[in-house]
Amino acid sequence: MIPAAQPIIGDDERAAVDRVLLSGMLAQGPEVKAFEDEFSPYVDNRHCIAVNSGTSALHMAFVAAGIRAGDEVIVPSFSFAATANAVRLTGATPVFADIETDHFNLDPAAVEAAISPRTRAIMPVHLYGHPAAMTELQAICQRQNLLLFEDAAQAHLASLHGTKVGAFGVAGSFSFYPTKNMTSGEGGMVTTGCDHIARQVRLLRNQGMERRYENEVIGFNTRMTDLHAAIGRVQLQKLTKWTEQRQANAAFLSSHLSGVVTPPVAAGAVHVYHQYTVRVVDHNRDAFAEQLTKKGVGSGVYYPTPIHRLPSFGLSLDLPVTEQVATQCLSLPVHPSLSQGDLETIVEAVNSVARAGS
Ligand SMILES: *Cc1c(COP(=O)(O)O)cnc(C)c1O
């Protein structure tokens, strides 16, 4: 069975953890600082602040920027729940806007229509590793005096017109969960060009302290450990090579698949293929996936239920593209461990299921 995703952990990662264990300093320390410094060039040299998850990165960034109860933040519903949870956890209200079918990202026209007097911010998700329409969203934010955040949890190294994701808005957030393009076990990173937000996130992750027992604000404990940072540092060294492998795998799939809608790349965009997601339009998607499984090809549905309809939000909204894409999307294996034989198996399986009809 070709797995839909596969974290790659090798001797280097194990040695890095061992080095930290032997040092006896396990919590946030020099490894975290080094990880932050080394991550910064990948987001156009912004401030980087490591935390314990991508969700914490989103949450800390919002709190640091002053997002609070009474505010509205426009987000896509076609994403992982953390996108909207992080808004809600500040006391603010996530307002769900519809997406476009090409890249499954926020539709700028839908965003503009969702703006109210309470809107404080917009947060696109660079879903599956394809950058959102940042030029248009930046223009909306400037015109309407709104803050632009980025959920870059799936998009390490993606860029648009030469600018890296995580470097567009007032703050960006990355995740290092094991299935993401690189991992630290669990972990996240806030990236920002704003000195004030950077300092606030540093305070917030550590109970509001910069100097011990001189707590300045009410904070959290969302620190990353040196154990996790050590793994992240090793993985960061491999990220460029792995990303190129994902892109090569995606190029092969796009030039050989037929009978499904393959993911196009926008002009000026660098797609990093956290997922390689096709749309199944002529067949029942779930039956299609079952047939692939029988042929030894794993796949995934991200996300079968839009966030607004999850029991935790329980909203009924009119988001027709979101609803349609949720029934059509299917992510095929694209991870860097695939062999040429695996890629050929995937193509053969998809094309024959598409031809057969289901
Ligand atoms: C993974 C993910 C998150 C949350 O990251 P964690 O590290 O799991 O907390 C947030 N947003 C999106 C789009 C994600 O894919």
Side-chain angles (χ1 to χ4, degrees):
M1 186 74 171
I2 303 172
Q6 188 164 58
I8 307 172
I9 299 293
D11 292 344
D12 299 349
E13 284 83 351
R14 279 196 291 275
V17 170
D18 216 32
R19 182 181 75 234
V20 176
L21 286 172
L22 285 168
S23 81
M25 304 233 316
L26 310 185
Q28 182 187 301
E31 294 283 339
V32 168
K33 171 75 171 73
F35 186 30
E36 293 172 344
D37 291 346
E38 288 160 9
F39 197 79
S40 181
Y42 294 93
V43 286
D44 300 349
N45 299 312
R46 287 203 154 190
H47 297 289
C48 292
I49 308 98
V51 290
N52 61 354
S53 73
T55 307
S56 293
L58 294 167
H59 185 198
M60 299 300 101
F62 284 141
V63 174
I67 301 296
R68 57 179 188 270
D71 295 339
E72 292 178 356
V73 179
I74 298 172
V75 294
S77 180
F78 192 62
S79 180
F80 183 52
T83 302
N85 287 350
V87 175
R88 196 66 194 83
L89 286 169
T90 69
T93 304
V95 171
F96 298 103
D98 213 351
I99 55 171
E100 36 79 25
T101 40
D102 277 352
H103 316 108
F104 314 109
N105 282 324
L106 273 182
D107 173 358
V111 168
E112 198 135 33
I115 293 172
S116 86
R118 286 183 180 277
T119 306
R120 280 284 308 285
I122 298 171
M123 184 170 74
V125 177
H126 305 297
L127 201 73
Y128 307 143
H130 190 291
M134 299 313 284
T135 312
E136 292 81 355
L137 294 175
Q138 275 180 323
I140 292 171
C141 285
Q142 254 161 27
R143 259 199 323 273
Q144 306 274 355
N145 196 24
L146 304 174
L147 296 172
L148 181 62
F149 292 85
E150 295 172 76
D151 183 340
Q154 306 186 351
H156 320 66
L157 297 195
S159 65
L160 185 65
H161 303 302
T163 300
K164 291 284 196 316
V165 305
F168 282 94
V170 64
S173 298
F174 291 83
S175 166
F176 306 119
Y177 185 74
T179 56
K180 302 292 158 80
N181 286 20
M182 61 169 285
T183 186
S184 61
E186 294 264 13
M189 191 77 80
V190 177
T191 66
T192 180
C194 170
D195 297 345
H196 172 74
I197 289 177
R199 177 149 199 281
Q200 288 300 307
V201 173
R202 287 184 195 285
L203 289 173
L204 289 167
R205 75 174 168 183
N206 189 33
Q207 311 283 6
M209 290 189 291
E210 182 168 292
R211 281 180 308 278
R212 190 182 273 236
Y213 308 132
E214 294 182 22
N215 308 53
E216 297 173 42
V217 297
I218 308 287
F220 302 81
N221 173 2
T222 53
R223 296 181 302 260
M224 178 180 276
T225 73
D226 262 17
L227 287 165
H228 293 90
I231 300 172
R233 290 181 67 196
V234 173
Q235 294 254 315
L236 188 59
Q237 297 303 312
K238 303 175 182 176
L239 180 62
T240 301
K241 191 186 71 195
W242 284 340
T243 301
E244 287 164 1
Q245 192 60 56
R246 284 178 183 274
Q247 289 162 337
N249 293 346
F252 183 86
L253 293 174
S254 286
S255 60
H256 291 87
L257 291 177
S258 56
V260 294
V261 183
T262 59
V265 180
V270 172
H271 192 338
V272 296
Y273 298 100
H274 169 61
Q275 300 292 347
Y276 181 90
T277 304
V278 301
R279 280 192 298 130
V280 179
V281 291
D282 301 330
H283 302 74
N284 176 290
R285 188 266 320 274
D286 295 333
F288 197 100
E290 240 171 76
Q291 292 302 312
L292 289 183
T293 308
K294 284 190 188 140
K295 293 176 183 294
V297 174
S299 61
V301 174
Y302 314 103
Y303 297 88
T305 306
I307 301 174
H308 73 274
R309 283 204 283 107
L310 293 172
S312 47
F313 286 96
L315 298 170
S316 101
L317 302 170
D318 186 27
L319 301 173
V321 183
T322 295
E323 296 294 355
Q324 185 188 49
V325 167
T327 66
Q328 295 179 337
C329 65
L330 188 66
S331 298
L332 303 173
V334 73
H335 52 81
S337 310
L338 297 174
S339 66
Q340 184 59 33
D342 291 337
L343 288 166
E344 282 160 19
T345 302
I346 295 164
V347 167
E348 239 174 68
V350 171
N351 291 358
S352 75
V353 174
R355 265 196 311 274
S358 56

